Each structure stands twice: as C-alpha cells, then as structure tokens.
Amino acid sequence: MTKLAPSLLSADFANLQRDMEQAKENGCEWLHYDVMDGMFVPNISMGIPVLKSIRKATDLTLDVHLMVERPIRYVEQFVKAGADWLTVHVEADTEENTLAALDQIHALGCKAAVSLKPKTPAEAVKPFLKKCDMILVMTVEPGFGGQKFMEDMMPKLRTLRKMLDAENPGCILEVDGGIDANTFRVCRENGAEVFVAGSAYFGAPDKAAFVRTLQGE
Ligand code: DX5
Ligand code: ZN
C-alpha cells in the first residue's frame, strides 16, 4: 500500500494543530517534518521545540527530514522530541559519521533513513543500505516547497529499488518534492511507496480526495 505524508512545511504554522487533525481525518497516517539549518540548504524552517509541541498534539507517525550539516549532532534531540522516523542526508557528513548516526537513531528506538539530493547517485547509499529502514529520494533540490518535479530521478529510483530488493528487501522507498496526483503515479511505477506532498496536498481543493488518490481508493 502507498502512503502519503503531508509536508508541514506547506501547512499554516499558526494553525498546525488544525492542519494535523485535518490530515488525520482525511486518512493520513504520516506527517513529514522538514528541518533546515540555512547551511546544508539555503533556507531555515522548524527545529526541536516545534517538534516537541506537535508531538503532544498528534499521534500520527512523524517522519522527520533533517536537511542539516553534520546531523549526528542533533539526532538524539530530534528522537527525544518525538520523531518516529529520522532521515539524514548522505551528503551532510562523512561515511563514518553517517553510519554512527544511523546506529544512534536505532539505539534510541527510532526508524532510520538516508536521503539523496538530485545530483547524488544511487550508489552513494551502498555503505548505508543494510542499516536503513527507508531511503528518501529527493525529486527537487532540497530547501523549498512548491518546486517542479524532476522526472529524471526515475532511473535512480529504479536502481535503488533493485539494490534494495537484493540487499534489504524490507527497506521502503520515499520520494519528496513536486509530488502531485500525476507525478505520484510516475514514482509509484518506479518503486516508491511513501510520498511526501506539501503544496499539492495543502493546496488541493478537496484534500480528502487527494489522499484517496495517493493512498489508493
Ligand atoms: C523540500 C522539502 C519538502 C517540501 C516538499 O526541501 O524536503 O518536504 O515540503 O514540498 P512540495 O511537495 O511542495 O514540493
Ligand atoms: Zn522533506
């Protein structure tokens, strides 16, 4: 089954509780939470205190996407603040530190994932493949919502699905960036199972219908 994770980056920050409750009523099980440090990406979003607050306000699965330099510095704080899944970027630190971050995430009882920017090849996940519960493929340059979907990421998605089938079949593939009802189909055909959508979900005239489309009627 496919899953939609609405990206709170496109929510109304003054009404996060309302938007999260609505996502649940609309049939979502996951919420995506983007953390940006102004260094790894040229934007700043939300951090640890906001995650702590929303953890108290929702029982949905919180899928936290760290777009920060040397994420190992903050792994423990984000897990303790309420992340159920924690994703770090392979480009954000050394291989050794990324491996240590994944171990730390698991030791804290959280699911662990790595993400790839568009220019990073599929092979970059190899050292981490066995330690991941999910791989997040960026289908836009990370940093901003509302960008155009990069269809040229599809060969990478297929390559990753093959690598996972061979080495870690239980590992999930997630896509993030420019996902709408059309691009979702393209990604699903190429092996994605979890779909992050910010502007398309929050901008949909009928959000419940959008959720039904992405999660299968
Ligand atoms: C971008 C973020 C995304 C963003 C997606 O760097 O990682 O999660 O919210 O937004 P849309 O769906 O509008 O492309
Ligand atoms: Zn994201």
Side-chain angles (χ1 to χ4, degrees):
M1 205 195 96
T2 56
K3 264 189 214 311
L4 164 65
S7 174
L8 292 175
L9 192 63
S10 292
D12 176 355
F13 285 0
N15 287 291
L16 280 174
Q17 182 154 16
R18 179 202 65 192
D19 286 356
M20 293 191 299
E21 280 168 6
Q22 249 174 37
K24 188 172 176 175
E25 281 161 23
N26 290 335
C28 296
E29 294 169 17
W30 282 38
L31 290 167
H32 186 80
Y33 185 88
D34 287 302
V35 181
M36 305 178 185
D37 66 352
M39 294 291 288
F40 184 72
V41 289
N43 198 5
I44 296 177
S45 60
M46 311 163 269
I48 297 154
V50 177
L51 184 62
K52 262 188 202 155
S53 294
I54 70 165
R55 176 73 290 171
K56 291 187 200 130
T58 185
D59 58 3
L60 293 183
T61 297
L62 294 175
D63 169 32
V64 177
H65 178 193
L66 296 184
M67 286 163 274
V68 304
E69 293 284 357
R70 296 183 47 229
I72 192 164
R73 295 175 294 152
Y74 293 106
V75 157
E76 187 174 357
Q77 288 178 71
F78 276 101
V79 176
K80 291 196 169 151
D84 296 299
W85 289 72
L86 196 58
T87 300
V88 297
H89 268 267
V90 301
E91 308 88 354
D93 208 335
T94 61
E95 181 179 320
E96 192 188 0
N97 282 347
T98 303
L99 287 167
L102 296 171
D103 283 341
Q104 210 180 327
I105 296 168
H106 281 141
L108 291 158
C110 185
K111 299 281 192 187
V114 294
S115 182
L116 302 177
K117 283 180 169 187
K119 289 192 189 78
T120 306
E123 290 65 35
V125 302
K126 273 197 179 140
F128 315 112
L129 213 54
K130 290 221 166 72
K131 285 190 193 282
C132 287
D133 302 295
M134 181 166 80
I135 308 285
L136 168 56
V137 176
M138 292 307 299
T139 42
V140 298
E141 281 297 339
F144 300 91
Q147 302 181 77
K148 192 177 175 303
F149 175 73
M150 298 168 76
E151 193 159 350
D152 52 343
M153 293 300 111
M154 295 306 100
K156 181 154 96 182
L157 212 51
R158 285 199 298 278
T159 304
L160 283 165
R161 190 65 265 167
K162 276 188 206 138
M163 285 165 68
L164 291 174
D165 287 346
E167 288 188 54
N168 186 359
C171 185
I172 303 172
L173 263 183
E174 180 181 50
V175 284
D176 182 7
I179 302 298
D180 61 21
N182 296 317
T183 59
F184 145 76
R185 284 197 183 84
V186 181
C187 292
R188 189 186 53 189
E189 282 161 20
N190 286 285
E193 296 150 274
V194 178
F195 302 83
V196 177
S199 46
Y201 169 78
F202 284 99
D206 183 345
K207 293 189 182 66
F210 182 78
V211 177
R212 284 197 298 276
T213 304
L214 268 74
Q215 297 197 149
E217 306 248 32

